[in-house]
């Protein structure tokens, strides 16, 4: 079941993100941005969604409405390769359309090459690269 996150989800969301992104720390030389995000604030702002089954959080999304379209700020799955990420991506695009956006966009680190390849396969195109908050980011977008 995919649902808006609630206050009690903040801790489990943080734990899921820390586990999902941990393998990137050696590659990047520091923690990726999502590992330090304030999930309680994201929940309070209505930006967080969780996918759960039998009370366990399998994945999460952080979505933001922006002037440039829907920002897919974060997506994480507890067990990659189970289809959770693709279902979350499909939901993010559906939610962007529901909110009246004609575009969804995201960014990832330039060293997260597998993410760039996945987003490209899902129809996202690179729009630009830039240093942001000390991270070498690749920005991508998809018309809806």
């Amino acid at each position: 079941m995919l649902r808006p996150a609630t206050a009690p989800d903040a801790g489990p969301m943080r734990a899921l993100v820390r586990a999902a992104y941990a393998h990137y720390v050696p590659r990047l030389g520091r923690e990726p941005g999502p590992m330090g995000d304030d999930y309680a604030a994201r929940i309070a702002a209505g930006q967080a969604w969780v996918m759960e089954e039998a009370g366990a959080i399998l994945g999460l999304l952080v979505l933001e409405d922006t002037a440039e379209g829907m920002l897919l700020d974060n997506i994480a799955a507890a067990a990659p390769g189970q289809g959770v990420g693709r279902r979350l991506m499909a939901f993010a695009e559906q939610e962007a359309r529901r909110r009246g956006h004609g575009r969804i966009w995201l960014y990832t680190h330039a060293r997260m090459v597998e993410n760039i390849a996945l987003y490209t396969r899902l129809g996202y195109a690179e729009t630009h690269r830039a240093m942001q908050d000390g991270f070498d980011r690749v920005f991508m977008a998809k018309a809806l």
Side-chain angles (χ1 to χ4, degrees):
M1 173 176 78
L2 186 58
R3 61 170 175 78
T6 60
D9 295 322
M13 288 174 67
R14 189 172 18 268
L16 186 152
V17 168
R18 294 198 66 74
Y21 283 83
H23 70 281
Y24 289 122
V25 174
R27 190 185 310 179
L28 305 183
R30 65 187 280 200
E31 290 187 348
M35 291 178 83
D37 205 351
D38 182 343
Y39 292 98
R42 295 293 195 163
I43 292 166
Q47 298 174 335
W49 296 81
V50 293
M51 180 177 285
E52 71 175 352
E53 184 176 292
I57 295 178
L58 305 178
L60 63 89
L61 283 172
V62 175
L63 303 172
E64 290 182 42
D65 291 298
T66 73
E68 296 82 28
M70 176 71 75
L71 168 61
L72 172 52
D73 188 72
N74 188 9
I75 182 170
Q82 304 296 314
V84 171
R86 285 188 185 267
R87 292 194 321 243
L88 289 169
M89 291 292 290
F91 174 80
E93 293 173 16
Q94 175 186 22
E95 183 66 8
R97 283 186 199 95
R98 187 187 72 76
R99 295 186 192 186
H101 293 290
R103 177 180 187 259
I104 187 167
W105 64 283
L106 56 84
Y107 54 85
T108 190
H109 197 285
R111 292 186 187 160
M112 295 181 178
V113 294
E114 59 273 70
N115 291 352
I116 296 167
L118 172 64
Y119 298 141
T120 300
R121 283 193 306 275
L122 293 176
Y124 289 75
E126 184 176 328
T127 60
H128 65 285
R129 293 179 182 232
M131 289 297 294
Q132 184 184 51
D133 301 326
F135 294 103
D136 185 11
R137 293 195 166 147
V138 177
F139 292 79
M140 304 181 80
K142 180 178 181 179
L144 299 173

